[in-house]
Amino acid sequence: MSAQPGTAPVQPAQYAQPLVGSPRHIADDPREILSRPLAQTSLLDAVKDLRRDVEKTGFPLEIPGIEAARASRDRLVDQLGEHLVPRLTELSAPAVVVVSGSTGAGKSTLVNSLVGKEVSTAGVLRPTTRRPVLVHHPLDTELLSHHPVLESVSVVADDNMVRGIALLDAPDLDSVLESNRESAHRLLEAADLWLFVTTAARYGDALPWRVLQGAVERGASIAMVLNRVPPASLPTVRGDLLGRLRENGLQGSPLFVVPDLGPHEGLLPASSVSPIQRWLAMLAGPDRARTVIGRTLRGSLAALRPWVDELAEAVQAQADAAAAIGVVLDAALDASAVQAADAIREGAVADGAVRARWSELTSARGALDRVVSRRGRVRGSARDGRTRSAQVAPLVEDLVHAVTATLTAAGGHAEQALRAALVAPQGPAGGPSVEASWAPGSNRRAAADQAARAWTAQGVRVVRAALAAAPDVDASRRARRRRKAERSLGDDGLAAVALAAAAGVQGARDLLVVLIDEAGERAADELRTDLEDRVAAQVALERAAVGDVLADPDLADDAASRLRLRLAVLKGLT
């Protein structure tokens, strides 16, 4: 028996009118998405733009609910790309009727019987339908030529099909092959109408009803075929099924019953499928097909709103998680910077080679031996200054190596601290995702070496500036001492002593004060402050490296706004 679709006619013009003119591209800047008058934006444009943005939406952080968000995004992409875009592109194309159901429901046999010949393989082996089959009238070939579903189906053109209807025999929803299950669900997104096939023995299975509930949510047009029904149980089964349809919001859906014919091969008798054939022939008429297409189209467009809102919320959750991760990383960075600065103040740079070099230079007959007499007088000629500058040069190179090692170690410790903060048991949601995808730059030591050489190059300038800024008290005495110091050590030698003092060599600081008074203290302090700033900058490089991961556009504060703006445009058009 059969039932009428019972759907109210839709005015085709409300879908056809916006399609006048060629598709346009809406600017990527979110501020411009709403700037164009709606009259200049077609519904097809809006759906294409939405699809592009949804498809590009990523979820870099593994946070609670991420799998559901990704599945929702993929489903939305399928719905937009497989159904809405092709349907809006060619409103006059045949209505795609997807024949779907569980394993062994008799879908292929039903399709073959409706066409009147075998166009889709049917049999007892499961799964039977491995590649979907689309059957249409030859005169509809051109209208279907650009439909994306053609890429994944076998196409059969047959004169027995009525024009305006394309039957698609889909794989089993519960196929043992995962690829078949995925294909079945994807093809359902391309449907203008679902012809759902079940049997008297399996109509109560949970999976079909979950799928049908999803169809109700997206406003799809649905008809049901109850196959292989024993005559004796027909009233009971049919009544129970109608009750289930009402419970699931499908009370207006057509229901067709195909009696159980017992074991048989080949096509079903014409009388068994004639009600379905007459119904399809009726739908094939322009007005009726328009009604089904319009109803599904309206439902699909309405269903987009909560889907896109849900997706935007998931994107916002990613941005919020990224912001929380940033706060945790900043706290870890601050602690690392303080630790590194403390190490500088405690003389970490002077440990090892620098102290050894200083001891060598100040030992008997060392370059700095007898620079100051026992009476505290600076002595030495200009020639001595040139010689001592050359002899002190290795100290500067030792300082370069020591500072490079200290900065590199500070960067390494900062990385460890940041990673520990990301993967801590009570750490931020999504932290392990950032830690796993974070690959610090290999130029840490190169950056440290560059910073170390830049620091030592500041020595001469800082010493000269300190001397120039000295209080104008007893100027003649200070000038004489300065000239003696410069003559005894030269600018480079005096700068080397100041650098060693800043690094933490107390003997160098004492000598510097003897040589140039309080200007020496000032120079050493300024150089140490500069070194602390450089170690802080080195630590910040590690934060910048992990910041590159968090700079993903999908984690931006306004990442969700683009989807919401696209939805606002769509609402204005529908």
Side-chain angles (χ1 to χ4, degrees), residues 344-345 455 458-459 461-463 466 495 497-506 508-510 512-513 516-533:
I344 295 295
R345 285 190 288 271
W455 178 70
Q458 296 289 317
R461 180 194 64 77
V462 171
V463 170
V497 175
L499 290 167
V505 178
Q506 185 60 45
R509 180 177 285 267
D510 295 340
L512 196 62
V513 172
I516 55 176
D517 299 320
E518 71 280 359
E521 290 276 8
R522 188 161 45 253
D525 290 344
E526 182 177 342
L527 285 169
R528 187 178 67 181
T529 299
D530 183 80
L531 185 55
E532 291 175 5
D533 291 341

Side-chain angles (χ1 to χ4, degrees), residues 19 62 72 102 140 146 202 207 264 268 300 315 371 428 432 448 523 535 552 562 572:
L19 298 176
E62 298 292 333
S72 179
S102 303
D140 286 334
H146 300 297
R202 302 200 58 182
L207 175 61
H264 76 285
L268 297 171
S300 297
V315 172
V371 172
V535 77
D552 190 313
R562 183 180 303 278

Side-chain angles (χ1 to χ4, degrees), residues 55-422:
E55 193 170 30
K56 290 193 300 184
T57 298
F59 299 96
L61 302 180
E62 298 292 333
I63 60 176
I66 187 63
E67 292 303 326
R70 287 172 178 154
S72 179
R73 174 201 58 197
D74 294 345
R75 184 185 177 196
L76 187 52
V77 168
D78 285 343
Q79 169 68 355
L80 291 166
E82 300 292 339
H83 177 64
L84 283 172
V85 169
R87 176 48 65 196
L88 288 170
T89 301
E90 186 56 82
L91 285 170
S92 59
V96 177
V97 180
V98 174
V99 182
S100 182
S102 303
T103 301
K107 301 182 298 298
S108 297
T109 298
L110 178 64
V111 169
N112 292 336
S113 301
L114 290 171
V115 178
K117 65 169 63 173
E118 183 171 315
V119 292
S120 183
T121 304
V124 295
L125 296 178
R126 302 291 175 233
T128 298
T129 304
R130 295 182 179 273
R131 183 169 176 82
V133 176
L134 179 75
V135 191
H136 65 84
H137 192 279
L139 294 179
D140 286 334
T141 300
E142 181 61 28
L143 292 174
L144 284 167
S145 60
H146 300 297
H147 202 296
V149 77
L150 299 185
E151 298 175 2
S152 57
V153 301
S154 296
V155 181
V156 177
D158 194 281
D159 290 323
N160 289 338
M161 280 295 300
V162 293
R163 289 202 63 186
I165 291 289
L167 280 180
L168 201 165
D169 185 13
D172 302 329
L173 289 170
D174 57 352
S175 173
V176 295
L177 299 179
E178 182 179 359
S179 59
N180 272 5
R181 296 196 301 272
E182 293 177 352
S183 176
H185 286 276
R186 186 177 63 81
L187 291 174
L188 284 174
E189 300 296 345
D192 293 306
L193 171 68
W194 291 18
L195 188 58
F196 204 85
V197 184
T198 187
T199 65
R202 302 200 58 182
Y203 72 90
D205 291 354
L207 175 61
W209 290 105
R210 287 201 301 270
V211 175
L212 287 170
Q213 189 57 48
V216 172
E217 292 173 0
R218 57 159 266 197
S221 297
I222 301 170
M224 180 165 285
V225 176
L226 181 58
N227 196 14
R228 301 174 188 152
V229 184
S233 59
L234 174 57
T236 301
V237 172
R238 182 177 178 277
D240 188 30
L241 181 53
L242 287 172
R244 288 175 180 266
L245 290 172
R246 284 192 297 272
E247 292 170 3
N248 287 274
L250 293 166
Q251 59 271 19
S253 299
L255 173 61
F256 302 94
V257 177
V258 178
D260 186 11
L261 303 177
H264 76 285
E265 295 182 2
L267 306 180
L268 297 171
S271 59
S272 297
V273 296
S274 57
I276 306 175
Q277 288 175 321
R278 288 194 298 271
W279 178 69
L280 289 174
M282 177 187 64
L283 291 181
D287 292 338
R288 290 291 187 174
R290 262 274 201 264
T291 299
V292 173
I293 291 171
R295 177 184 176 186
T296 300
L297 196 54
R298 281 198 308 273
S300 297
L301 289 169
L304 288 181
R305 298 174 185 178
W307 284 7
V308 177
D309 279 335
E310 180 183 346
L311 190 64
E313 288 298 322
V315 172
Q316 188 60 53
Q318 291 274 308
D320 293 344
I325 290 172
V327 171
V328 171
L329 291 178
D330 288 341
L333 181 72
D334 290 343
S336 296
V338 169
Q339 182 181 9
D342 288 343
I344 295 295
R345 285 190 288 271
E346 291 168 3
V349 172
D351 292 341
V354 173
R355 292 190 191 281
R357 182 73 67 181
W358 182 260
S359 296
E360 177 187 329
L361 291 172
T362 56
S363 63
R365 298 187 179 182
L368 299 179
D369 183 34
R370 299 181 182 180
V371 172
V372 180
S373 69
R374 292 182 179 179
R375 294 183 179 182
R377 294 180 178 178
V378 180
R379 59 187 183 182
S381 63
R383 180 180 178 180
D384 291 335
R386 290 191 294 272
T387 300
R388 283 172 177 152
S389 287
Q391 291 174 328
V392 171
L395 174 62
V396 177
E397 197 59 31
D398 288 338
L399 283 165
V400 168
H401 293 317
V403 171
T404 298
T406 300
L407 296 183
T408 302
H413 292 153
E415 179 191 348
Q416 293 174 6
L418 294 174
R419 288 190 183 278
L422 289 171

Side-chain angles (χ1 to χ4, degrees), residues 459-496:
V460 172
R461 180 194 64 77
V462 171
V463 170
R464 286 179 176 175
L467 286 168
D472 191 17
V473 177
D474 197 5
S476 60
R477 183 182 65 83
R478 189 178 68 251
R480 288 195 300 272
R481 180 175 289 273
R482 172 185 173 183
R483 286 194 296 272
K484 287 182 179 180
E486 291 175 335
R487 184 172 63 244
S488 179
L489 286 175
D491 283 346
D492 292 338
L494 199 57

